[in-house]
Amino acid sequence: MPSSADLAKIHIAKKELGLTDEAYRDMLHLHFQVASSKDLKPQQVIVLLNKFRAKGWRPKTNVKNGR
């Protein structure tokens, strides 16, 4: 089961890419044969996030005090 941080990244990427629920669930089923991101294995989370990056999603970086 993915961590809550991983699930948050997945759902942020989905929203920022403008994926509909249908398109998102189709992607999960097509590539991973799961109905929910909660059912992904840790390696599958990495693959999914990389697929989102390939579509143009860039995760926000944490910048602390200009460092």
Side-chain angles (χ1 to χ4, degrees):
M1 183 171 175
S3 70
S4 57
D6 287 335
L7 290 173
K9 284 181 197 175
I10 290 168
H11 290 281
I12 289 167
K14 173 189 170 249
K15 181 180 177 185
E16 289 181 356
L17 288 170
L19 293 175
T20 64
D21 282 338
E22 183 180 9
Y24 168 70
R25 293 194 186 278
D26 285 347
M27 179 183 240
L28 289 177
H29 181 62
L30 176 68
H31 296 290
F32 308 107
Q33 294 75 48
V34 298
S36 169
S37 57
K38 291 179 184 176
D39 298 325
L40 293 171
K41 295 179 174 119
Q43 185 61 31
Q44 292 173 319
V45 170
I46 294 167
V47 172
L48 180 60
L49 291 173
N50 285 336
K51 287 184 180 300
F52 288 152
R53 286 182 184 97
K55 290 181 176 290
W57 177 68
R58 294 292 173 255
K60 303 268 188 290
T61 56
N62 291 335
V63 178
K64 294 183 180 181
N65 299 328
R67 293 182 189 177

Short mmCIF file of all heavy atoms in Angstrom, two decimals:
data_model
loop_
_atom_site.label_atom_id
_atom_site.label_comp_id
_atom_site.label_asym_id
_atom_site.label_seq_id
_atom_site.Cartn_x
_atom_site.Cartn_y
_atom_site.Cartn_z
N MET A 1 0.85 -1.19 0.00
CA MET A 1 0.00 0.00 0.00
C MET A 1 0.89 1.24 0.00
O MET A 1 1.84 1.33 0.77
CB MET A 1 -0.89 -0.02 1.24
CG MET A 1 -1.85 1.10 1.30
SD MET A 1 -3.00 0.81 2.65
CE MET A 1 -3.89 2.32 2.60
N PRO A 2 0.58 2.19 -0.87
CA PRO A 2 1.39 3.42 -0.94
C PRO A 2 1.25 4.25 0.33
O PRO A 2 0.22 4.21 1.01
CB PRO A 2 0.79 4.16 -2.14
CG PRO A 2 -0.03 3.17 -2.87
CD PRO A 2 -0.44 2.13 -1.88
N SER A 3 2.28 5.04 0.61
CA SER A 3 2.21 5.95 1.75
C SER A 3 1.23 7.07 1.46
O SER A 3 0.87 7.33 0.30
CB SER A 3 3.60 6.53 2.03
OG SER A 3 3.96 7.43 1.00
N SER A 4 0.82 7.75 2.51
CA SER A 4 -0.11 8.87 2.31
C SER A 4 0.55 9.98 1.50
O SER A 4 -0.11 10.66 0.72
CB SER A 4 -0.62 9.40 3.65
OG SER A 4 0.45 9.79 4.47
N ALA A 5 1.87 10.15 1.63
CA ALA A 5 2.59 11.15 0.84
C ALA A 5 2.57 10.77 -0.64
O ALA A 5 2.39 11.64 -1.52
CB ALA A 5 4.02 11.29 1.32
N ASP A 6 2.74 9.49 -0.94
CA ASP A 6 2.69 9.03 -2.33
C ASP A 6 1.30 9.24 -2.92
O ASP A 6 1.15 9.71 -4.05
CB ASP A 6 3.07 7.55 -2.44
CG ASP A 6 4.55 7.30 -2.25
OD1 ASP A 6 5.36 8.23 -2.49
OD2 ASP A 6 4.91 6.18 -1.87
N LEU A 7 0.28 8.89 -2.15
CA LEU A 7 -1.09 9.08 -2.63
C LEU A 7 -1.38 10.56 -2.88
O LEU A 7 -2.04 10.91 -3.86
CB LEU A 7 -2.09 8.51 -1.63
CG LEU A 7 -2.10 6.98 -1.51
CD1 LEU A 7 -3.01 6.54 -0.37
CD2 LEU A 7 -2.52 6.34 -2.82
N ALA A 8 -0.87 11.42 -2.01
CA ALA A 8 -1.07 12.86 -2.21
C ALA A 8 -0.40 13.32 -3.50
O ALA A 8 -1.01 14.07 -4.27
CB ALA A 8 -0.50 13.62 -1.02
N LYS A 9 0.83 12.87 -3.75
CA LYS A 9 1.51 13.24 -4.99
C LYS A 9 0.72 12.79 -6.22
O LYS A 9 0.58 13.54 -7.19
CB LYS A 9 2.90 12.59 -5.05
CG LYS A 9 3.93 13.24 -4.19
CD LYS A 9 5.25 12.51 -4.37
CE LYS A 9 6.21 12.83 -3.26
NZ LYS A 9 7.44 12.05 -3.35
N ILE A 10 0.21 11.56 -6.16
CA ILE A 10 -0.56 11.02 -7.29
C ILE A 10 -1.78 11.89 -7.55
O ILE A 10 -2.06 12.28 -8.69
CB ILE A 10 -0.96 9.56 -7.01
CG1 ILE A 10 0.28 8.66 -7.07
CG2 ILE A 10 -2.03 9.09 -8.00
CD1 ILE A 10 0.05 7.25 -6.53
N HIS A 11 -2.51 12.24 -6.51
CA HIS A 11 -3.74 13.00 -6.69
C HIS A 11 -3.47 14.46 -7.06
O HIS A 11 -4.24 15.06 -7.82
CB HIS A 11 -4.64 12.86 -5.47
CG HIS A 11 -5.21 11.48 -5.37
ND1 HIS A 11 -6.27 11.04 -6.11
CD2 HIS A 11 -4.80 10.40 -4.67
CE1 HIS A 11 -6.51 9.78 -5.86
NE2 HIS A 11 -5.63 9.35 -4.98
N ILE A 12 -2.38 15.02 -6.58
CA ILE A 12 -1.99 16.37 -7.00
C ILE A 12 -1.63 16.36 -8.48
O ILE A 12 -2.06 17.24 -9.24
CB ILE A 12 -0.82 16.89 -6.14
CG1 ILE A 12 -1.30 17.19 -4.72
CG2 ILE A 12 -0.17 18.11 -6.78
CD1 ILE A 12 -0.18 17.41 -3.71
N ALA A 13 -0.87 15.36 -8.90
CA ALA A 13 -0.48 15.27 -10.32
C ALA A 13 -1.72 15.10 -11.19
O ALA A 13 -1.84 15.75 -12.24
CB ALA A 13 0.48 14.10 -10.52
N LYS A 14 -2.63 14.25 -10.77
CA LYS A 14 -3.88 14.04 -11.53
C LYS A 14 -4.61 15.36 -11.72
O LYS A 14 -5.04 15.69 -12.82
CB LYS A 14 -4.75 13.03 -10.79
CG LYS A 14 -6.13 12.85 -11.37
CD LYS A 14 -6.99 12.00 -10.45
CE LYS A 14 -8.42 12.01 -10.91
NZ LYS A 14 -9.33 12.72 -10.06
N LYS A 15 -4.73 16.11 -10.65
CA LYS A 15 -5.44 17.39 -10.71
C LYS A 15 -4.70 18.39 -11.59
O LYS A 15 -5.30 19.05 -12.44
CB LYS A 15 -5.62 17.95 -9.29
CG LYS A 15 -6.36 19.26 -9.25
CD LYS A 15 -6.50 19.77 -7.84
CE LYS A 15 -7.19 21.12 -7.85
NZ LYS A 15 -7.24 21.70 -6.50
N GLU A 16 -3.38 18.51 -11.38
CA GLU A 16 -2.60 19.50 -12.13
C GLU A 16 -2.54 19.17 -13.62
O GLU A 16 -2.42 20.07 -14.45
CB GLU A 16 -1.21 19.64 -11.54
CG GLU A 16 -1.24 20.34 -10.19
CD GLU A 16 0.12 20.53 -9.55
OE1 GLU A 16 1.14 20.06 -10.11
OE2 GLU A 16 0.18 21.15 -8.47
N LEU A 17 -2.62 17.88 -13.97
CA LEU A 17 -2.63 17.49 -15.38
C LEU A 17 -4.02 17.60 -15.99
O LEU A 17 -4.19 17.45 -17.19
CB LEU A 17 -2.10 16.06 -15.54
CG LEU A 17 -0.61 15.88 -15.34
CD1 LEU A 17 -0.25 14.40 -15.27
CD2 LEU A 17 0.18 16.57 -16.45
N GLY A 18 -5.02 17.83 -15.14
CA GLY A 18 -6.39 17.97 -15.63
C GLY A 18 -7.01 16.66 -16.08
O GLY A 18 -7.89 16.66 -16.95
N LEU A 19 -6.56 15.55 -15.49
CA LEU A 19 -7.12 14.25 -15.86
C LEU A 19 -8.51 14.08 -15.26
O LEU A 19 -8.72 14.39 -14.09
CB LEU A 19 -6.23 13.12 -15.35
CG LEU A 19 -4.85 12.99 -15.96
CD1 LEU A 19 -4.06 11.89 -15.25
CD2 LEU A 19 -4.94 12.68 -17.44
N THR A 20 -9.43 13.60 -16.05
CA THR A 20 -10.75 13.28 -15.52
C THR A 20 -10.63 12.01 -14.70
O THR A 20 -9.67 11.24 -14.84
CB THR A 20 -11.77 13.04 -16.66
OG1 THR A 20 -11.35 11.89 -17.40
CG2 THR A 20 -11.90 14.25 -17.57
N ASP A 21 -11.61 11.77 -13.84
CA ASP A 21 -11.61 10.53 -13.06
C ASP A 21 -11.59 9.32 -13.98
O ASP A 21 -10.90 8.34 -13.72
CB ASP A 21 -12.82 10.46 -12.13
CG ASP A 21 -12.66 11.32 -10.89
OD1 ASP A 21 -11.51 11.64 -10.53
OD2 ASP A 21 -13.69 11.66 -10.28
N GLU A 22 -12.36 9.41 -15.06
CA GLU A 22 -12.43 8.29 -16.00
C GLU A 22 -11.07 8.03 -16.65
O GLU A 22 -10.61 6.89 -16.71
CB GLU A 22 -13.48 8.57 -17.08
CG GLU A 22 -13.66 7.42 -18.04
CD GLU A 22 -14.70 7.69 -19.11
OE1 GLU A 22 -15.19 8.83 -19.23
OE2 GLU A 22 -15.02 6.74 -19.83
N ALA A 23 -10.40 9.08 -17.11
CA ALA A 23 -9.09 8.91 -17.74
C ALA A 23 -8.07 8.38 -16.75
O ALA A 23 -7.24 7.51 -17.08
CB ALA A 23 -8.62 10.24 -18.32
N TYR A 24 -8.12 8.87 -15.52
CA TYR A 24 -7.20 8.44 -14.48
C TYR A 24 -7.41 6.96 -14.15
O TYR A 24 -6.46 6.17 -14.10
CB TYR A 24 -7.43 9.32 -13.24
CG TYR A 24 -6.78 8.83 -11.99
CD1 TYR A 24 -5.39 8.86 -11.83
CD2 TYR A 24 -7.54 8.36 -10.93
CE1 TYR A 24 -4.80 8.42 -10.66
CE2 TYR A 24 -6.96 7.93 -9.75
CZ TYR A 24 -5.58 7.95 -9.63
OH TYR A 24 -5.01 7.51 -8.48
N ARG A 25 -8.66 6.57 -13.97
CA ARG A 25 -8.95 5.16 -13.64
C ARG A 25 -8.64 4.24 -14.82
O ARG A 25 -8.17 3.11 -14.62
CB ARG A 25 -10.38 5.00 -13.17
CG ARG A 25 -10.58 5.71 -11.84
CD ARG A 25 -11.85 5.35 -11.14
NE ARG A 25 -12.03 6.16 -9.95
CZ ARG A 25 -11.45 5.92 -8.78
NH1 ARG A 25 -10.64 4.90 -8.65
NH2 ARG A 25 -11.67 6.70 -7.75
N ASP A 26 -8.86 4.73 -16.04
CA ASP A 26 -8.47 3.94 -17.22
C ASP A 26 -6.97 3.71 -17.23
O ASP A 26 -6.50 2.61 -17.55
CB ASP A 26 -8.89 4.66 -18.51
CG ASP A 26 -10.38 4.57 -18.79
OD1 ASP A 26 -11.08 3.76 -18.13
OD2 ASP A 26 -10.85 5.32 -19.67
N MET A 27 -6.20 4.73 -16.87
CA MET A 27 -4.75 4.61 -16.83
C MET A 27 -4.33 3.58 -15.77
O MET A 27 -3.46 2.73 -16.03
CB MET A 27 -4.14 5.98 -16.51
CG MET A 27 -2.65 6.00 -16.41
SD MET A 27 -2.07 7.64 -15.95
CE MET A 27 -1.06 8.01 -17.35
N LEU A 28 -4.94 3.65 -14.59
CA LEU A 28 -4.62 2.68 -13.54
C LEU A 28 -4.92 1.26 -13.99
O LEU A 28 -4.14 0.33 -13.76
CB LEU A 28 -5.41 2.99 -12.26
CG LEU A 28 -5.02 4.23 -11.47
CD1 LEU A 28 -5.97 4.41 -10.29
CD2 LEU A 28 -3.59 4.15 -11.00
N HIS A 29 -6.07 1.09 -14.63
CA HIS A 29 -6.47 -0.25 -15.06
C HIS A 29 -5.59 -0.75 -16.21
O HIS A 29 -5.13 -1.90 -16.19
CB HIS A 29 -7.94 -0.27 -15.47
CG HIS A 29 -8.41 -1.62 -15.90
ND1 HIS A 29 -8.41 -2.71 -15.05
CD2 HIS A 29 -8.87 -2.07 -17.08
CE1 HIS A 29 -8.85 -3.76 -15.71
NE2 HIS A 29 -9.14 -3.40 -16.94
N LEU A 30 -5.34 0.09 -17.18
CA LEU A 30 -4.55 -0.30 -18.35
C LEU A 30 -3.13 -0.68 -17.99
O LEU A 30 -2.62 -1.71 -18.44
CB LEU A 30 -4.53 0.85 -19.38
CG LEU A 30 -3.67 0.63 -20.61
CD1 LEU A 30 -4.25 -0.46 -21.48
CD2 LEU A 30 -3.56 1.93 -21.40
N HIS A 31 -2.48 0.13 -17.16
CA HIS A 31 -1.06 -0.09 -16.87
C HIS A 31 -0.80 -0.99 -15.66
O HIS A 31 0.25 -1.63 -15.58
CB HIS A 31 -0.36 1.25 -16.67
CG HIS A 31 -0.34 2.09 -17.89
ND1 HIS A 31 0.41 1.79 -19.00
CD2 HIS A 31 -1.02 3.22 -18.22
CE1 HIS A 31 0.22 2.69 -19.94
NE2 HIS A 31 -0.66 3.57 -19.48
N PHE A 32 -1.73 -0.99 -14.70
CA PHE A 32 -1.45 -1.69 -13.44
C PHE A 32 -2.53 -2.69 -13.02
O PHE A 32 -2.38 -3.35 -12.00
CB PHE A 32 -1.25 -0.67 -12.31
CG PHE A 32 -0.24 0.39 -12.65
CD1 PHE A 32 -0.65 1.68 -12.94
CD2 PHE A 32 1.11 0.10 -12.71
CE1 PHE A 32 0.27 2.67 -13.27
CE2 PHE A 32 2.04 1.07 -13.04
CZ PHE A 32 1.62 2.35 -13.32
N GLN A 33 -3.63 -2.77 -13.76
CA GLN A 33 -4.73 -3.68 -13.46
C GLN A 33 -5.27 -3.48 -12.03
O GLN A 33 -5.57 -4.45 -11.32
CB GLN A 33 -4.33 -5.16 -13.67
CG GLN A 33 -4.04 -5.52 -15.11
CD GLN A 33 -2.71 -4.98 -15.60
OE1 GLN A 33 -1.70 -5.13 -14.95
NE2 GLN A 33 -2.72 -4.34 -16.77
N VAL A 34 -5.37 -2.23 -11.61
CA VAL A 34 -5.97 -1.89 -10.32
C VAL A 34 -7.05 -0.83 -10.56
O VAL A 34 -7.02 -0.12 -11.56
CB VAL A 34 -4.93 -1.36 -9.30
CG1 VAL A 34 -3.89 -2.42 -8.98
CG2 VAL A 34 -4.28 -0.08 -9.77
N ALA A 35 -7.98 -0.75 -9.62
CA ALA A 35 -9.06 0.24 -9.73
C ALA A 35 -8.78 1.49 -8.92
O ALA A 35 -9.42 2.52 -9.12
CB ALA A 35 -10.38 -0.39 -9.28
N SER A 36 -7.81 1.41 -8.00
CA SER A 36 -7.52 2.52 -7.11
C SER A 36 -6.02 2.63 -6.89
O SER A 36 -5.32 1.61 -6.85
CB SER A 36 -8.22 2.29 -5.77
OG SER A 36 -7.78 3.20 -4.80
N SER A 37 -5.54 3.85 -6.69
CA SER A 37 -4.12 4.04 -6.41
C SER A 37 -3.72 3.40 -5.09
O SER A 37 -2.55 3.08 -4.89
CB SER A 37 -3.76 5.53 -6.43
OG SER A 37 -4.55 6.24 -5.51
N LYS A 38 -4.68 3.18 -4.21
CA LYS A 38 -4.39 2.53 -2.92
C LYS A 38 -3.93 1.08 -3.12
O LYS A 38 -3.30 0.51 -2.24
CB LYS A 38 -5.61 2.55 -2.02
CG LYS A 38 -5.96 3.92 -1.52
CD LYS A 38 -7.20 3.88 -0.66
CE LYS A 38 -7.58 5.29 -0.25
NZ LYS A 38 -8.83 5.32 0.51
N ASP A 39 -4.25 0.50 -4.27
CA ASP A 39 -3.90 -0.89 -4.56
C ASP A 39 -2.55 -1.03 -5.26
O ASP A 39 -2.14 -2.15 -5.57
CB ASP A 39 -4.99 -1.54 -5.42
CG ASP A 39 -6.33 -1.57 -4.71
OD1 ASP A 39 -6.35 -1.73 -3.48
OD2 ASP A 39 -7.36 -1.43 -5.40
N LEU A 40 -1.88 0.09 -5.52
CA LEU A 40 -0.58 0.03 -6.20
C LEU A 40 0.50 -0.50 -5.27
O LEU A 40 0.50 -0.25 -4.07
CB LEU A 40 -0.18 1.42 -6.70
CG LEU A 40 -1.03 2.02 -7.82
CD1 LEU A 40 -0.62 3.48 -8.03
CD2 LEU A 40 -0.86 1.23 -9.10
N LYS A 41 1.46 -1.19 -5.87
CA LYS A 41 2.66 -1.62 -5.14
C LYS A 41 3.65 -0.46 -5.19
O LYS A 41 3.56 0.41 -6.07
CB LYS A 41 3.24 -2.86 -5.80
CG LYS A 41 2.31 -4.05 -5.70
CD LYS A 41 2.88 -5.26 -6.37
CE LYS A 41 1.97 -6.43 -6.12
NZ LYS A 41 1.41 -7.00 -7.31
N PRO A 42 4.62 -0.42 -4.28
CA PRO A 42 5.56 0.71 -4.24
C PRO A 42 6.26 0.98 -5.59
O PRO A 42 6.39 2.13 -5.99
CB PRO A 42 6.57 0.30 -3.17
CG PRO A 42 5.77 -0.57 -2.25
CD PRO A 42 4.82 -1.32 -3.15
N GLN A 43 6.67 -0.07 -6.29
CA GLN A 43 7.33 0.13 -7.58
C GLN A 43 6.36 0.72 -8.60
O GLN A 43 6.74 1.53 -9.44
CB GLN A 43 7.91 -1.20 -8.09
CG GLN A 43 8.70 -1.07 -9.37
CD GLN A 43 9.91 -0.16 -9.25
OE1 GLN A 43 10.53 -0.06 -8.20
NE2 GLN A 43 10.26 0.52 -10.32
N GLN A 44 5.10 0.33 -8.52
CA GLN A 44 4.09 0.87 -9.44
C GLN A 44 3.84 2.35 -9.19
O GLN A 44 3.54 3.09 -10.13
CB GLN A 44 2.79 0.07 -9.31
CG GLN A 44 2.92 -1.36 -9.81
CD GLN A 44 1.69 -2.18 -9.53
OE1 GLN A 44 1.10 -2.09 -8.45
NE2 GLN A 44 1.30 -3.00 -10.49
N VAL A 45 3.94 2.79 -7.95
CA VAL A 45 3.79 4.22 -7.63
C VAL A 45 4.86 5.01 -8.37
O VAL A 45 4.58 6.04 -8.99
CB VAL A 45 3.89 4.46 -6.11
CG1 VAL A 45 3.98 5.94 -5.80
CG2 VAL A 45 2.72 3.83 -5.39
N ILE A 46 6.09 4.51 -8.35
CA ILE A 46 7.20 5.19 -9.05
C ILE A 46 6.92 5.25 -10.54
O ILE A 46 7.09 6.30 -11.17
CB ILE A 46 8.53 4.46 -8.75
CG1 ILE A 46 8.88 4.60 -7.27
CG2 ILE A 46 9.65 5.00 -9.64
CD1 ILE A 46 9.99 3.67 -6.81
N VAL A 47 6.47 4.14 -11.11
CA VAL A 47 6.16 4.10 -12.55
C VAL A 47 5.06 5.10 -12.88
O VAL A 47 5.16 5.85 -13.86
CB VAL A 47 5.78 2.67 -12.99
CG1 VAL A 47 5.27 2.66 -14.42
CG2 VAL A 47 6.97 1.73 -12.83
N LEU A 48 4.00 5.14 -12.06
CA LEU A 48 2.89 6.05 -12.31
C LEU A 48 3.35 7.51 -12.24
O LEU A 48 3.01 8.32 -13.12
CB LEU A 48 1.75 5.81 -11.32
CG LEU A 48 0.53 6.71 -11.47
CD1 LEU A 48 -0.10 6.55 -12.87
CD2 LEU A 48 -0.49 6.40 -10.39
N LEU A 49 4.12 7.85 -11.22
CA LEU A 49 4.61 9.23 -11.11
C LEU A 49 5.51 9.58 -12.29
O LEU A 49 5.47 10.71 -12.79
CB LEU A 49 5.32 9.43 -9.77
CG LEU A 49 4.40 9.41 -8.55
CD1 LEU A 49 5.22 9.46 -7.27
CD2 LEU A 49 3.38 10.54 -8.58
N ASN A 50 6.29 8.63 -12.77
CA ASN A 50 7.12 8.87 -13.95
C ASN A 50 6.26 9.07 -15.20
O ASN A 50 6.59 9.89 -16.06
CB ASN A 50 8.13 7.75 -14.16
CG ASN A 50 9.29 7.83 -13.18
OD1 ASN A 50 9.59 8.89 -12.65
ND2 ASN A 50 9.90 6.69 -12.92
N LYS A 51 5.15 8.36 -15.30
CA LYS A 51 4.22 8.56 -16.42
C LYS A 51 3.64 9.97 -16.36
O LYS A 51 3.49 10.63 -17.39
CB LYS A 51 3.11 7.51 -16.41
CG LYS A 51 3.59 6.13 -16.83
CD LYS A 51 2.44 5.15 -16.90
CE LYS A 51 2.93 3.78 -17.32
NZ LYS A 51 3.56 3.75 -18.63
N PHE A 52 3.30 10.43 -15.16
CA PHE A 52 2.79 11.80 -15.01
C PHE A 52 3.86 12.82 -15.39
O PHE A 52 3.56 13.82 -16.05
CB PHE A 52 2.32 12.05 -13.58
CG PHE A 52 1.04 11.35 -13.21
CD1 PHE A 52 0.79 11.01 -11.89
CD2 PHE A 52 0.07 11.05 -14.15
CE1 PHE A 52 -0.39 10.38 -11.52
CE2 PHE A 52 -1.12 10.41 -13.80
CZ PHE A 52 -1.35 10.08 -12.48
N ARG A 53 5.11 12.56 -15.01
CA ARG A 53 6.20 13.47 -15.40
C ARG A 53 6.35 13.51 -16.91
O ARG A 53 6.59 14.56 -17.49
CB ARG A 53 7.50 13.05 -14.73
CG ARG A 53 7.56 13.37 -13.26
CD ARG A 53 8.90 12.97 -12.63
NE ARG A 53 8.90 13.20 -11.21
CZ ARG A 53 8.65 12.25 -10.30
NH1 ARG A 53 8.43 11.00 -10.67
NH2 ARG A 53 8.66 12.55 -9.02
N ALA A 54 6.21 12.37 -17.56
CA ALA A 54 6.31 12.30 -19.02
C ALA A 54 5.20 13.10 -19.69
O ALA A 54 5.38 13.60 -20.80
CB ALA A 54 6.28 10.84 -19.48
N LYS A 55 4.07 13.24 -19.00
CA LYS A 55 2.96 14.04 -19.52
C LYS A 55 3.13 15.52 -19.22
O LYS A 55 2.29 16.32 -19.58
CB LYS A 55 1.63 13.54 -18.95
CG LYS A 55 1.21 12.18 -19.45
CD LYS A 55 -0.14 11.80 -18.85
CE LYS A 55 -0.65 10.50 -19.41
NZ LYS A 55 -1.07 10.60 -20.80
N GLY A 56 4.22 15.87 -18.50
CA GLY A 56 4.49 17.28 -18.25
C GLY A 56 4.33 17.72 -16.81
O GLY A 56 4.56 18.89 -16.50
N TRP A 57 3.94 16.84 -15.91
CA TRP A 57 3.78 17.22 -14.51
C TRP A 57 5.14 17.38 -13.86
O TRP A 57 6.03 16.57 -14.04
CB TRP A 57 2.97 16.17 -13.76
CG TRP A 57 2.83 16.46 -12.30
CD1 TRP A 57 2.13 17.48 -11.73
CD2 TRP A 57 3.42 15.74 -11.22
NE1 TRP A 57 2.24 17.42 -10.36
CE2 TRP A 57 3.03 16.36 -10.01
CE3 TRP A 57 4.24 14.61 -11.14
CZ2 TRP A 57 3.42 15.91 -8.76
CZ3 TRP A 57 4.63 14.16 -9.89
CH2 TRP A 57 4.23 14.80 -8.72
N ARG A 58 5.28 18.45 -13.11
CA ARG A 58 6.50 18.68 -12.34
C ARG A 58 6.12 18.89 -10.89
O ARG A 58 5.38 19.82 -10.57
CB ARG A 58 7.26 19.91 -12.86
CG ARG A 58 7.80 19.76 -14.26
CD ARG A 58 8.92 18.72 -14.31
NE ARG A 58 9.34 18.44 -15.67
CZ ARG A 58 9.04 17.35 -16.35
NH1 ARG A 58 8.28 16.43 -15.82
NH2 ARG A 58 9.49 17.15 -17.56
N PRO A 59 6.62 18.02 -10.00
CA PRO A 59 6.28 18.20 -8.58
C PRO A 59 6.88 19.48 -8.04
O PRO A 59 7.95 19.92 -8.49
CB PRO A 59 6.89 16.97 -7.90
CG PRO A 59 7.85 16.40 -8.87
CD PRO A 59 7.48 16.88 -10.24
N LYS A 60 6.17 20.07 -7.12
CA LYS A 60 6.67 21.28 -6.47
C LYS A 60 7.85 20.89 -5.58
O LYS A 60 7.86 19.84 -4.96
CB LYS A 60 5.59 21.91 -5.61
CG LYS A 60 4.32 22.26 -6.35
CD LYS A 60 4.35 23.66 -6.86
CE LYS A 60 3.03 24.10 -7.42
NZ LYS A 60 2.62 23.50 -8.65
N THR A 61 8.84 21.74 -5.54
CA THR A 61 9.98 21.48 -4.66
C THR A 61 9.83 22.31 -3.40
O THR A 61 9.26 23.41 -3.42
CB THR A 61 11.32 21.83 -5.35
OG1 THR A 61 11.28 23.19 -5.77
CG2 THR A 61 11.55 20.95 -6.56
N ASN A 62 10.34 21.80 -2.31
CA ASN A 62 10.32 22.53 -1.05
C ASN A 62 11.57 23.39 -0.96
O ASN A 62 12.68 22.87 -0.96
CB ASN A 62 10.29 21.57 0.15
CG ASN A 62 8.97 20.85 0.24
OD1 ASN A 62 7.96 21.34 -0.23
ND2 ASN A 62 8.97 19.68 0.86
N VAL A 63 11.39 24.68 -0.90
CA VAL A 63 12.51 25.60 -0.77
C VAL A 63 12.44 26.19 0.63
O VAL A 63 11.46 26.84 0.98
CB VAL A 63 12.44 26.71 -1.83
CG1 VAL A 63 13.59 27.68 -1.66
CG2 VAL A 63 12.43 26.13 -3.23
N LYS A 64 13.46 25.94 1.43
CA LYS A 64 13.48 26.44 2.80
C LYS A 64 14.49 27.55 2.94
O LYS A 64 15.69 27.35 2.73
CB LYS A 64 13.82 25.31 3.77
CG LYS A 64 12.78 24.22 3.83
CD LYS A 64 13.16 23.18 4.85
CE LYS A 64 12.10 22.10 4.89
NZ LYS A 64 12.43 21.08 5.89
N ASN A 65 14.00 28.73 3.26
CA ASN A 65 14.85 29.89 3.56
C ASN A 65 15.93 30.14 2.52
O ASN A 65 17.06 30.47 2.83
CB ASN A 65 15.51 29.72 4.94
CG ASN A 65 14.48 29.60 6.04
OD1 ASN A 65 13.40 30.21 5.95
ND2 ASN A 65 14.77 28.83 7.06
N GLY A 66 15.58 29.96 1.25
CA GLY A 66 16.53 30.28 0.17
C GLY A 66 17.69 29.32 0.03
O GLY A 66 18.64 29.60 -0.66
N ARG A 67 17.62 28.19 0.67
CA ARG A 67 18.71 27.22 0.58
C ARG A 67 18.51 26.27 -0.56
O ARG A 67 17.49 25.88 -0.91
CB ARG A 67 18.84 26.41 1.87
CG ARG A 67 19.27 27.25 3.01
CD ARG A 67 19.42 26.39 4.23
NE ARG A 67 19.64 27.25 5.37
CZ ARG A 67 19.77 26.81 6.59
NH1 ARG A 67 19.72 25.53 6.85
NH2 ARG A 67 19.96 27.63 7.59
#
